[in-house]
């Protein structure tokens, strides 16, 4: 039995699909009853309803599990506390390997959500819980949010300079690697960067989208203050807006991306490239 937290999110659902593909029994943690039905129909064998910080819910989740895939919710204001609750639950359960969904370059203090994951990694090292840590790059699937404007208006609007170079990874490759790692205890104590080695400027992303769609798409930088005002109007909290603004500034200044060697070795094939992903997106995938 493999346990998965954050299972109803986009990462969790991708991991569940891969584990189901491997015919593994999966127990998921969700906090809303309607999410239980969705994940059961996606193949989860067992659903625990509860909060990620509740020791009783975590004990139910880990009962009889050989490993847990721990996904902290995106931009959670207390990620280290959430991880500490999971570490404590793993210690109490005994013999559970903790596979932690971190992020590429958690060592980046200028991005608070990355820095929080570094602290979580440290908490895991300091426990005596067997672990594996995966550090994925930004997902190619994030481009879905920009796709309606790219297709309808031919504009790819980003809150950083269009020369900013970013390397993205296909979430399906991340999920496939995660499933392989969960099912093979030889990965215990491994820390793996999951990236492709590509870095594209936003001008190049727009050109690749244009190629995939067969019509023009241009990249355009939007003012970050305007971006923040729109994000707040759409209900994003001040804390999350601040973190994302810092991330955009960091991206613009330094770029962001990793190396594809480890992911290729895990998958036994090269990771998906951005042109391939965009072609699939344009074809409705
Ligand atoms: N997006 C990227 O490019 C990227 C790249 C690398 C790493 N990551 C990391 O991937 C992780 C997952 O991101 P995601 O976008 O897939 O996650 P997400 O959409 O935020 O999903 C998290 C899930 O956890 C649930 N949840 C929230 N708080 C909970 C709580 N207290 N107890 C139980 N469940 C709770 C949410 O339920 P509700 O629906 O009820 O809120 C949601 O179903 C994040 O840590 C992020 O930093 C993301």
């Amino acid at each position: 039995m493999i346990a998965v937290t954050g299972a109803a999110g986009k990462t969790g659902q991708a991991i569940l699909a891969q584990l189901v593909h491997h015919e593994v029994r999966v127990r998921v943690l969700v906090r809303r009853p309607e999410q239980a039905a969705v994940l059961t129909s996606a193949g989860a064998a067992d659903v625990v309803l509860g909060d990620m910080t509740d020791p009783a819910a975590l004990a139910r989740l880990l009962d009889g599990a050989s490993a847990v895939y721990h996904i902290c919710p995106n931009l959670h204001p207390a990620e280290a506390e959430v991880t500490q609750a999971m570490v404590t639950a793993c210690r109490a359960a005994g013999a559970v390997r903790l596979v932690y969904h971190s992020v590429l370059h958690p060592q980046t203090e200028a991005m608070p959500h990355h820095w929080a994951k570094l602290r979580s990694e440290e908490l895991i090292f300091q426990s005596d819980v067997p672990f594996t840590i995966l550090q994925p790059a930004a997902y190619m699937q994030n481009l879905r949010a920009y796709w309606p404007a790219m297709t309808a208006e031919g504009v790819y609007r980003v809150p950083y300079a269009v020369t900013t170079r970013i390397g993205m990874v296909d979430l399906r490759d991340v999920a496939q690697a995660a499933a392989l790692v969960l099912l093979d205890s030889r990965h215990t104590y491994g820390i793996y960067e999951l990236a492709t080695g590509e870095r594209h400027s936003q001008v190049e992303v727009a050109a690749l989208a244009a190629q995939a769609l067969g019509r023009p798409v241009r990249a355009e930088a939007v003012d970050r203050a305007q971006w923040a005002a729109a994000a707040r109007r759409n209900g994003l909290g001040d804390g999350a807006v601040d973190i994302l603004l810092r991330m955009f500034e960091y991206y613009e200044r330094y770029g962001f991306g990793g190396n594809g060697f480890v992911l290729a070795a895990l998958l036994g094939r090269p990771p998906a490239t951005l042109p391939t992903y965009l072609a699939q997106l344009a074809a409705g995938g």
Side-chain angles (χ1 to χ4, degrees):
M1 171 79 77
I2 304 277
V4 181
T5 63
K10 80 176 150 193
T11 308
Q13 294 202 37
I15 307 272
L16 173 63
Q18 276 300 319
L19 289 170
V20 169
H21 174 74
H22 284 275
E23 299 184 356
V24 180
R25 279 180 67 76
V26 184
R27 184 184 294 140
V28 295
L29 178 75
V30 297
R31 66 173 174 177
R32 289 188 281 127
E34 64 271 27
Q35 294 168 330
V38 174
L39 296 190
T40 302
S41 61
D46 203 357
V47 179
V48 171
L49 198 58
D51 194 280
M52 227 181 270
T53 56
D54 174 16
L58 294 181
R60 288 201 302 282
L61 177 72
L62 298 184
D63 185 25
S66 57
V68 57
Y69 197 79
H70 177 49
I71 303 168
C72 189
N74 202 22
L75 306 175
H76 196 285
E79 175 141 3
E81 285 83 341
V82 173
T83 305
Q84 183 58 62
M86 176 54 75
V87 165
T88 304
C90 286
R91 295 190 71 203
V96 179
R97 181 161 53 109
L98 170 53
V99 181
Y100 174 55
H101 190 83
S102 183
V103 72
L104 184 69
H105 299 178
Q107 308 89 336
T108 312
E109 191 171 5
M111 293 196 277
H113 56 318
H114 286 233
W115 193 243
K117 282 181 163 49
L118 185 76
R119 179 73 191 119
S120 286
E121 292 189 9
E122 192 180 19
L123 287 169
I124 293 168
F125 302 156
Q126 292 168 357
S127 72
D128 53 1
V129 173
F131 66 84
T132 307
I133 292 172
L134 301 183
Q135 299 175 328
Y139 308 149
M140 292 178 187
Q141 280 72 7
N142 297 346
L143 290 172
R144 282 181 178 274
Y146 301 88
W147 200 244
M150 284 201 227
T151 52
E153 301 168 51
V155 187
Y156 173 45
R157 292 190 188 87
V158 287
Y160 29 80
V162 296
T163 48
T164 303
R165 300 188 79 81
I166 299 174
M168 288 176 276
V169 66
D170 191 324
L171 176 57
R172 293 167 297 185
D173 284 349
V174 171
Q176 200 174 324
L180 293 169
V181 161
L182 280 161
L183 296 175
D184 188 344
S185 61
R186 288 177 304 168
H187 295 293
T188 303
Y189 304 128
I191 303 178
Y192 303 146
E193 177 170 313
L194 302 181
T196 65
E198 294 178 313
R199 281 192 193 200
H200 292 289
S201 76
Q202 305 315 294
V203 174
E204 289 166 358
V205 174
L208 290 169
Q211 200 179 331
L213 286 165
R215 53 181 186 272
V217 179
R218 67 184 163 78
E220 185 182 292
V222 295
D223 178 70
R224 276 198 280 279
Q226 280 175 15
W227 175 90
R232 287 193 186 95
R233 276 198 303 278
N234 289 331
L236 203 61
D238 286 344
V241 169
D242 178 58
I243 290 173
L244 291 173
L245 286 173
R246 291 198 208 192
M247 181 181 82
F248 299 150
E249 281 163 26
Y250 183 91
Y251 280 3
E252 183 171 279
R253 189 156 182 195
Y254 303 108
F256 185 66
N259 180 283
F261 189 82
V262 171
L263 181 55
L266 286 168
L267 298 175
R269 60 166 173 82
T273 63
L274 190 59
T276 309
Y277 174 74
L278 288 170
Q280 290 170 354
L281 195 55

